[in-house]
Amino acid sequence: TQLLEQSPQFLSIQEGENLTVYCNSSSVFSSLQWYRQEPGEGPVLLVTVVTGGEVKKLKRLTFQFGDARKDSSLHITAAQPGDTGLYLCAGARTGANNLFFGTGTRLTVIP
Amino acid sequence: DTEVTQTPKHLVMGMTNKKSLKCEQHMGHRAMYWYKQKAKKPPELMFVYSYEKLSINESVPSRFSPECPNSSLLNLHLHALQPEDSALYLCASSHPGLVYNEQFFGPGTRLTVL
């Protein structure tokens, strides 16, 4: 059973377009991380959101944690080819050492 | 130092070989993880070490044997693997017990079993 479902699974857009990736669950998480992974490399941590309703910005990337801490979104403004990669959300639970990874969204930004 | 290193980068082995994957971090993290990742899939947790003790084993076959010699090092010993074990093996580390459990990943070892 996959706790965190991401949508869309695949996304191919032109450079300069905006996009949103969703990460949804029926479970509550104490925090949620977003990672980006390039082919043949390990995931790189982009952001951690902890408080329900929290919004964090990282240059052209905006991350939001749902009020109930069950879902999150990642919005990219004016996508660039360097944004291409696999985006993974991952939820943490208090007292648990493991992360629950989402199903992943593979983004391709075409120049 | 905010880096997790893994060696080797690539490994090709036969089904009768014995090999080891190595992971090292110097961030003072006391939790370390092994993940297996197949192409186009999210990482799957294999093992978790917390304070050098094995705390989670996700029903991994015994042909994979983890070892945590000290707080900075994590090994994964491989023996009698199958072709379906070919994957990217990722190591990660974090501060155990924190609410946000931010994990920092190494670049991975690309394993091919012939």
Side-chain angles (χ1 to χ4, degrees), chain A residues 2 10 30-31 33 35 37 40-43 45 48 50 86 88 92-94 96-99 101-104 106, chain B residues 9 33 35 37 40-43 45 48 50 55-56 58 88 90 96-97 99-107 110:
Chain A
Q2 191 71 42
F10 299 97
S30 57
S31 69
Q33 283 84 42
Y35 294 84
Q37 185 178 21
E41 298 293 330
L45 180 65
T48 299
V50 180
L86 176 67
L88 294 161
R93 287 182 164 164
T94 304
N97 273 339
N98 53 310
L99 285 177
F101 275 91
T103 47
R106 187 162 297 278
Chain B
K9 179 76 171 170
Y33 310 78
Y35 288 88
Q37 187 177 28
K40 300 183 172 130
K41 297 289 186 183
L45 183 66
V48 180
S50 182
S55 63
I56 295 178
E58 290 287 353
L88 182 67
L90 295 163
V99 166
Y100 35 86
N101 194 12
E102 293 176 331
Q103 293 186 16
F104 295 85
F105 284 82
R110 172 71 59 190

Side-chain angles (χ1 to χ4, degrees), chain B residues 34-47:
Chain B
W34 280 116
Y35 288 88
K36 173 183 177 180
Q37 187 177 28
K38 301 287 265 187
K40 300 183 172 130
K41 297 289 186 183
E44 297 174 26
L45 183 66
M46 300 175 72
F47 302 103

Side-chain angles (χ1 to χ4, degrees), chain A residues 9-38:
Chain A
Q9 189 177 358
F10 299 97
L11 189 55
S12 182
I13 62 171
Q14 294 289 330
E15 181 176 359
E17 292 183 355
N18 301 334
L19 66 113
T20 302
V21 176
Y22 299 93
C23 173
N24 294 307
S25 176
S26 57
S27 301
V28 176
F29 294 98
S30 57
S31 69
L32 199 131
Q33 283 84 42
W34 283 93
Y35 294 84
R36 179 171 64 217
Q37 185 178 21
E38 299 189 20

Side-chain angles (χ1 to χ4, degrees), chain A residues 48-69:
Chain A
T48 299
V49 285
V50 180
T51 307
E54 182 177 6
V55 177
K56 280 192 175 179
K57 292 194 174 187
L58 184 67
K59 296 183 181 177
R60 294 175 294 100
L61 279 60
T62 301
F63 305 85
Q64 184 163 9
F65 202 11
D67 291 342
R69 291 186 287 128

Side-chain angles (χ1 to χ4, degrees), chain B residues 39-95:
Chain B
K40 300 183 172 130
K41 297 289 186 183
E44 297 174 26
L45 183 66
M46 300 175 72
F47 302 103
V48 180
Y49 273 84
S50 182
Y51 297 97
E52 297 85 68
K53 293 192 186 320
L54 184 65
S55 63
I56 295 178
N57 175 342
E58 290 287 353
S59 303
V60 179
S62 59
R63 56 185 184 269
F64 295 91
S65 176
E67 179 196 19
C68 189
N70 60 55
S71 60
S72 300
L73 293 174
L74 186 66
N75 299 321
L76 185 63
H77 303 296
L78 314 173
H79 175 54
L81 295 195
Q82 303 296 310
E84 60 264 29
D85 296 323
S86 299
L88 182 67
Y89 287 83
L90 295 163
C91 172
S93 70
S94 73
H95 286 296

